[in-house]
Amino acid sequence: MLELGRLEDLPADYVSALTAQNLVPLWPSLRAVLPPGKPGPRTRPAAWSYEALRPLLMKAGELTPIEKAERRVLVLANPGHGLEKMQASSAIYLGMQLLLPGEIAPAHRHTPNAVRMIVEGEGAYTTVDGEKCPMRRGDLILTPTGLWHEHGHDGTDPVVWLDVLDLPLVYYMEASYVIEGTPDFTAREASERAYLRGGVVPSPVFTRASPRYPMLRYPWVEVRAALLALSEVTPTGEAVQVAYVNPETGAECQNILGFSALMLRPGETLTLPARSPAAVFHLIEGGVDARIGETPFSLAEADTCCAPGYTPVSLANRSADTPAFVFVADEAPLHKKLGLHEVRA
Ligand code: 1HN
């Protein structure tokens, strides 16, 4: 590859003349923005232990009342981006949120899309676009762009969930903002009941207007049962994986990030090919040894790890007699829409 000229090779008065006109020579920086063969990601393989973060999150519950936090969250920040950037990858934000009994995290709506993966506790709910969604361990609840949402807690013990947002991307696009106030939605029915069975959708006579986000809550009991059933008809060596989709269209359930759940059969090791999108893995049940590129991580229940794009990942179930269940969030819908999606064998 050609050796390109450096900034230091140019006369200082020439560089100053360029700067005065807001001009920059491309060639000294060309290799940095266009590295050969594959990108040089800032995103590093990284993992966050739930056992280590839980006491710190509970301490936040003592130190900061909900009124002073609005959302009481510890952000899972990838050191490759710098902690202050609050990014897991270029497009993914991750946070662990705590809601204590009796607390309310007030209503707002914003441009970034969010989902919640419930980690611990009973009795909390989130109301999204007028639909009250109970929060139980392993449930996935969508908060798509622009929809009002608030969280409440009628139970007796702390409730914790993992927030996954496309905030870094939407912020980078200079399109991130929030509206606070009183929601102006009309209440909707529990979408999880209307869309419970695969292959059939509610179809009122004559006119059928499909809501843009028809399904907001994906109960873990249903997703887990779907994975167990699928595992019986999936050949050994093939991934037992279901995607969280819009049941009206079969498309990804949100526009920017994609979500799925994986089952690793007892003793199973799954090798995922290197793909262009970054991905996040969160362990819902079981124990998994993950390998992200060259970096090994040992994951226990409720642990979360992050893989940069263009990096192979392997996931091994440590147990010889119980399945493991993994929630996956990735940037695939974004890459596909932009025509950038690649899978490398
Ligand atoms: C947000 O609205 C929530 O509603 C959680 O629970 C985390 C992080 C950044 C921006 C908005 C929530 C968030 C957030």
Side-chain angles (χ1 to χ4, degrees):
M1 187 161 278
L2 268 172
E3 182 92 12
L4 300 180
R6 299 168 307 163
L7 197 60
E8 307 86 275
D9 301 337
L10 297 169
D13 59 342
Y14 175 68
V15 174
S16 305
L18 291 176
T19 305
Q21 300 301 321
N22 292 332
L23 296 169
V24 178
L26 171 62
W27 58 96
S29 305
L30 185 58
R31 295 283 180 256
V33 292
L34 218 50
K38 76 184 200 94
R42 268 192 289 275
T43 304
R44 286 190 211 151
W48 297 267
S49 150
Y50 190 63
E51 195 186 10
L53 77 79
R54 189 183 186 282
L56 297 168
L57 187 56
M58 294 303 150
K59 188 76 184 169
E62 294 168 26
L63 294 171
T64 306
I66 193 72
E67 297 75 22
K68 289 281 177 201
E70 198 166 304
R71 299 295 191 264
R72 192 192 287 110
V73 177
L74 293 180
V75 178
L76 281 52
N78 191 308
H81 287 271
L83 300 185
E84 73 291 349
K85 290 283 168 50
M86 300 197 299
Q87 291 179 234
S89 71
S90 62
I92 304 176
Y93 157 103
L94 297 174
M96 281 283 181
Q97 182 161 172
L98 169 68
L99 198 65
L100 294 171
E103 289 184 336
I104 294 216
H108 67 192
R109 59 196 192 96
H110 43 66
T111 46
N113 296 272
V115 305
R116 335 264 163 217
M117 166 51 53
I118 317 308
V119 174
E120 162 179 344
E122 292 278 319
Y125 60 87
T126 180
T127 303
V128 182
D129 196 30
E131 178 171 332
K132 188 170 177 176
C133 301
M135 296 171 125
R136 302 212 179 85
R137 198 166 92 85
D139 290 352
L140 184 74
I141 300 172
L142 309 189
T143 308
T145 180
L147 299 190
W148 286 102
H149 55 284
E150 66 190 336
H151 317 304
H153 191 345
D154 299 331
T156 52
D157 296 306
V159 167
V160 178
W161 63 83
L162 177 69
D163 290 313
V164 186
L165 283 84
D166 47 27
L167 177 67
L169 178 75
V170 178
Y171 181 76
Y172 173 75
M173 306 278 293
E174 301 186 343
S176 181
Y177 71 96
V178 68
I179 292 173
E180 293 173 290
T182 312
D184 54 358
F185 49 66
T186 45
R188 25 195 290 191
E189 287 303 309
S191 55
E192 85 226 27
R193 292 212 303 276
Y195 290 98
L196 190 59
R197 306 283 173 208
V200 285
V201 297
S203 186
V205 275
F206 305 129
T207 48
R208 184 153 178 270
S210 311
R212 226 151 52 95
Y213 296 101
M215 191 164 176
L216 294 175
R217 175 171 184 253
Y218 298 74
W220 176 236
V221 280
E222 303 296 340
V223 178
R224 192 180 192 281
L227 284 167
L228 283 169
L230 185 60
S231 74
E232 287 170 17
V233 294
T234 305
T236 313
E238 282 180 29
V240 179
Q241 186 170 26
V242 293
Y244 294 91
V245 298
N246 175 332
E248 293 278 353
T249 63
E252 316 277 0
C253 63
Q254 290 191 163
N255 280 319
I256 296 175
L257 302 182
F259 306 98
S260 62
L262 267 173
M263 177 178 138
L264 299 169
R265 288 169 276 211
E268 186 173 27
T269 297
L270 199 61
T271 301
L272 309 171
R275 296 188 319 153
S276 54
V280 162
F281 302 90
H282 170 81
L283 197 47
I284 301 178
E285 273 181 56
V288 166
D289 288 327
R291 196 173 182 83
I292 299 175
E294 299 301 307
T295 313
F297 295 106
S298 177
L299 304 177
E301 222 155 86
D303 289 355
T304 306
C305 68
C306 175
Y310 299 88
T311 307
V313 172
S314 77
L315 301 169
N317 184 353
R318 275 198 296 275
S319 170
D321 44 46
T322 50
F325 296 95
V326 182
F327 170 63
V328 186
D330 68 27
E331 302 168 340
L334 174 66
H335 279 230
K336 286 176 183 167
K337 287 189 176 79
L338 297 179
L340 297 171
H341 190 262
E342 270 185 70
V343 181
R344 297 190 172 181

